Amino acid sequence: MKLVIRWRPLALIALTALGLALRLYGLNWDDGNSFHPDEREILFHVVAIARPTSWAQFLDAAHSPLNPQFFAYGSFPIYLLAAVGAVLKPFFPALANFATLTLLGRVISALFDSGTIALTALLALLLVEDGQPGRPRSWAVALLTAALMVFTPLQLQLSHFYAVDTILVFFITLTMLACVALVKSEHPLRWALLAGVGYGLALATKFSAAPLIVPLVLAFGLRWWRQGSLHGWGLFALSLVTTGLVFFVAMPYAFLDAQDFLQQVSFQGDLARGLIDLPYVRQFAGTIPYLYELQNMVLWGQGLTLGLTALAGLLWLCWYLLRHRLLSAWLVPLSWIAIYGAITGGFYVKFMRYMLPLYPFLALLAALLLLQLQDWLERWLASSRTQVRDKAGMSHGRLARAVGYGLMGVVLAGTIFQGLALLNVYSEPNTRVMASRWIYAHLPPGSVLTYEQWDDPLPVPVDGHDPGLYRQATYLNAAGQSQTGLDLYGDDTPQKACTLARLLPTIDAITMPTDRLDKSIPRLPARYPLTIRYYQLLFSGQLGFRLAAEFVVRPHLFGITLDDSGADESYSVFDHPVARIFVRDTPYPYTPQQLFEKLVAGVHWPQPVSSLSCAFSTP
């Protein structure tokens, strides 16, 4: 009996395994210091929840230990990590440690993103029609899609964080797969149920999945159009009921604590639209909706070659459907790209991860276009009257295939290069870790340090060293409360200049673990003239501090470094920010009064000020 090995499914499994291996590389990139604030917030709630002791306690939203009371993200990722941790803890006691539990979350994130690779390839098999034995064309699109996704830079990066994005995209892709199968299948019940499960879990991961209702309705509409029967709309109701039940199971306190849930979801929506002013979104001042997201996706998120090809594929598919097959199953993913892109692209807040739910489908369109280009070349060359050979003896058909494979190779090679270049940042210590080691080696214990509020203080625990060796400078704010860290996001007033003038001469070093503030504050010159002048004086050495150490890690591979300083802040600020340490000159060259005058010189205040005087105590 002849053994038949189906190599294409094995190739898909191998690509998925490769994707997982790359996503597991360097998971402990922060040496257990939890540098990602969103991940850290989720983990705080993971370790805080517990099982209710009774049904009555479960229903009591105010006192139930199962209620995370946190709805910026869905509850499912919180419950998932808590459940997996509880199951594994008897076998791995180290999971009681916050840092180890964080690593487990990152493994789960990597698994979900690897699963998205396989799901998108299966979606390609459903969408690409191919009547040939073995369906070689469908498999070619599927495998090329998977190969591109394996190395997509932003997917590789976000798999290293437990911040819900990869989980969200997995369930969105699962829902889309079920919707497309609904259009074509003769046995729709299972797909209607699966669509409901995927949609419910996507909503319980992040409520931004709500627009999935559009491709779901469209899928049932296309099925009704093809079959001319209203029977499918009963399945639509079943799918919605399944969505609701799954959402309730995975996120019960969206119902039991509905007021808090709606309030927090509304807050996040207002924040995304720019109706709420918080420091960590001021980086988007002056950015252009749609264009900003598009630029970051093409240059960094997908990489230049994949990003451009994906956009060309999207335009080609729109043209093709308008010209040839308007009522095609391709409308299902296209509707998601259109509705989600239109809503999210118009936000004031434009974190790169917000566009991740489009990446699998755009990669699929890129692969489809590349295969279609090869077909066009073959048909164009075959239209010649004779199949002459060129000087090298190559037929036109072989030449078309060579050119087509060359284009695929360029796109794939470019994606591989940018993906591995980004992944290579995890081959080096995090810049905040390097900065901390420098502090321990060069600043004597007892030195007074400061940092910038809305950023993390340095040093961090590393190599057994204790940050308690150093003192963080304290001062009284305008309300008379003691605090640490420079409040540079606070309003620019003469009082702010007074505080800086008093504090800086007492500090031995200013630590800047990221460039979050010094890159975002200059985007608001009318609001922050004093703070911008502070940075100008600091970086030019005119503030009595010198740049003693700077730590920079950029995506790099084969000796080529990619300067991503112009990318969205979120692309670098978590895992490879620029870290700087400014050390005070000895002796310090300014009195507080001189420093105050230097800071306020030439400043055009946002609001009229009555006085520029500042009282300083004399020694």
Side-chain angles (χ1 to χ4, degrees):
M1 180 178 179
K2 184 178 180 181
L3 179 64
V4 178
I5 300 177
R6 300 184 181 276
W7 68 269
R8 292 184 179 93
L10 292 178
L12 177 57
I13 293 172
L15 285 170
T16 305
L18 175 60
L20 178 60
L22 294 177
R23 284 152 177 78
L24 292 176
Y25 174 76
L27 278 191
N28 193 23
W29 51 268
D30 54 357
D31 283 355
N33 285 287
S34 299
F35 288 146
H36 195 301
D38 296 329
E39 178 184 65
R40 192 165 59 217
E41 183 72 19
I42 291 170
L43 265 293
F44 285 150
H45 289 88
V46 168
V47 299
I49 65 168
R51 287 185 299 177
T53 56
S54 66
W55 183 250
Q57 189 182 40
F58 169 77
L59 295 175
D60 185 359
H63 300 96
S64 173
L66 193 62
N67 183 5
Q69 299 180 345
F70 173 69
F71 302 113
Y73 296 127
S75 301
F76 176 73
I78 296 173
Y79 294 152
L80 175 64
L81 181 54
V84 174
V87 170
L88 295 179
K89 193 178 297 182
F91 307 99
F92 304 97
L95 287 173
N97 179 275
F98 190 93
T100 308
L101 190 61
T102 300
L103 289 180
L104 175 62
R106 293 175 183 175
V107 171
I108 293 172
S109 179
L111 286 168
F112 271 101
D113 198 59
S114 302
T116 301
I117 296 172
L119 286 179
T120 311
L122 295 177
L123 180 63
L125 291 175
L126 280 177
L127 284 168
V128 179
E129 297 180 357
D130 186 358
Q132 303 176 71
R135 306 188 66 207
R137 176 177 174 77
S138 297
W139 272 105
V141 175
L143 293 177
L144 182 55
T145 300
L148 291 168
M149 292 179 65
V150 164
F151 298 98
T152 300
L154 190 62
Q155 290 186 243
L156 286 169
Q157 184 184 53
L158 295 180
S159 296
H160 285 73
F161 314 143
Y162 192 70
V164 317
D165 303 285
T166 58
I167 303 174
L168 173 68
V169 174
F170 176 87
F171 287 121
I172 287 173
T173 309
L174 178 64
T175 306
M176 207 68 60
L177 178 69
C179 287
V180 171
L182 266 169
V183 177
K184 297 189 170 189
S185 176
E186 297 297 326
H187 306 284
L189 177 60
R190 70 189 70 172
W191 299 111
L193 291 172
L194 184 61
V197 170
Y199 191 14
L201 289 174
L203 287 172
T205 300
K206 194 175 182 184
F207 206 67
S208 59
L212 273 175
I213 189 64
V214 173
L216 186 63
V217 170
L218 183 59
F220 279 101
L222 287 172
R223 183 174 181 82
W224 167 75
W225 180 267
R226 290 186 173 195
Q227 296 188 352
S229 170
L230 295 177
H231 173 69
W233 292 108
L235 291 176
F236 175 67
L238 176 64
S239 189
L240 290 184
V241 170
T242 304
T243 298
L245 289 174
V246 170
F247 181 61
F248 176 77
V249 171
M251 194 169 175
Y253 292 96
F255 300 90
L256 301 177
D257 196 7
Q259 183 176 356
D260 193 19
F261 167 73
L262 293 174
Q263 182 179 3
Q264 291 194 39
V265 169
S266 176
F267 177 87
Q268 292 298 320
D270 289 344
L271 181 67
R273 290 189 294 272
L275 303 178
I276 297 175
D277 177 36
L278 286 178
Y280 59 84
V281 300
R282 291 175 191 164
Q283 60 165 306
F284 301 111
T287 56
I288 303 174
Y290 303 105
L291 182 61
Y292 184 84
E293 292 95 336
L294 192 63
Q295 173 184 325
N296 278 284
M297 182 176 67
V298 170
L299 293 180
W300 304 109
Q302 286 195 302
L304 187 61
T305 57
L306 175 56
L308 291 175
T309 309
L311 290 179
L314 176 61
L315 294 174
W316 170 78
L317 180 64
C318 293
W319 171 85
Y320 176 81
L321 293 178
L322 286 172
R323 288 287 303 270
H324 301 283
R325 300 188 60 184
L326 185 58
L327 297 177
S328 166
W330 281 98
L331 283 175
V332 175
L334 185 59
S335 69
W336 171 251
I337 294 173
I339 189 67
Y340 184 85
I343 294 172
T344 308
F347 285 165
Y348 171 81
V349 176
K350 307 175 184 69
F351 294 120
M352 285 178 64
R353 65 180 183 273
Y354 283 7
M355 285 296 174
L356 190 70
L358 301 183
Y359 279 42
F361 313 106
L362 291 174
L364 172 55
L365 295 183
L368 180 69
L369 178 64
L370 289 170
L371 268 296
Q372 186 63 40
L373 285 172
Q374 187 181 59
D375 290 346
W376 287 339
L377 282 170
E378 290 185 0
R379 286 198 297 269
W380 178 63
L381 291 173
S383 65
S384 302
R385 293 184 178 180
T386 58
Q387 287 290 316
V388 298
R389 295 178 178 270
D390 61 14
K391 294 181 180 179
M394 180 181 291
S395 69
H396 283 177
R398 290 176 60 193
L399 177 62
R401 285 190 290 274
V403 173
Y405 288 135
L407 289 174
M408 293 179 207
V410 168
V411 175
L412 185 57
T415 307
I416 291 172
F417 177 82
Q418 283 199 244
L420 294 183
L422 178 64
L423 197 67
N424 214 15
V425 303
Y426 304 120
S427 67
E428 302 183 40
N430 186 273
T431 49
R432 279 171 283 201
V433 171
M434 290 192 282
S436 297
R437 286 173 174 158
W438 188 93
I439 291 173
Y440 291 125
H442 294 87
L443 298 183
S447 297
V448 180
L449 313 180
T450 194
Y451 62 99
E452 298 173 334
Q453 291 183 12
W454 293 92
D455 215 333
D456 295 324
L458 291 178
V460 299
V462 62
D463 302 332
H465 293 291
D466 181 7
L469 294 171
Y470 302 93
R471 292 188 297 122
Q472 293 292 339
T474 60
Y475 61 97
L476 298 180
N477 62 16
Q481 299 172 328
S482 179
Q483 64 179 13
T484 61
L486 303 178
D487 183 18
L488 298 180
Y489 272 134
D491 292 337
D492 274 7
T493 63
Q495 181 58 43
K496 184 177 181 179
C498 282
T499 301
L500 289 170
R502 289 193 185 100
L503 187 64
L504 292 177
T506 70
I507 292 169
D508 296 308
I510 300 171
T511 64
M512 296 172 58
T514 75
D515 52 5
R516 171 182 281 134
L517 277 79
D518 66 271
K519 286 181 67 175
S520 62
I521 284 176
R523 302 187 70 89
L524 296 161
R527 182 172 183 173
Y528 289 115
L530 169 67
T531 310
I532 292 172
R533 176 161 176 78
Y534 161 81
Y535 278 123
Q536 291 170 343
L537 294 172
L538 178 65
F539 281 94
S540 63
Q542 300 179 62
L543 207 58
F545 289 80
R546 60 181 174 83
L547 180 62
E550 182 177 57
F551 303 92
V552 182
V553 174
R554 303 287 187 197
H556 59 284
L557 190 67
F558 304 137
I560 301 174
T561 299
L562 302 179
D563 183 1
D564 60 353
S565 58
D568 179 64
E569 173 193 285
S570 63
Y571 192 65
S572 62
V573 76
F574 305 126
D575 53 10
H576 61 285
V578 176
R580 299 182 178 94
I581 301 168
F582 292 85
V583 175
R584 187 180 63 165
D585 294 337
T586 303
Y588 193 69
Y590 308 113
T591 65
Q593 181 63 45
Q594 290 172 332
L595 188 57
F596 174 78
E597 293 172 357
K598 197 173 189 67
L599 285 168
V600 301
V603 170
H604 300 285
W605 299 96
Q607 300 292 335
V609 297
S610 57
S611 173
L612 282 178
S613 63
C614 190
F616 297 101
S617 58
T618 57

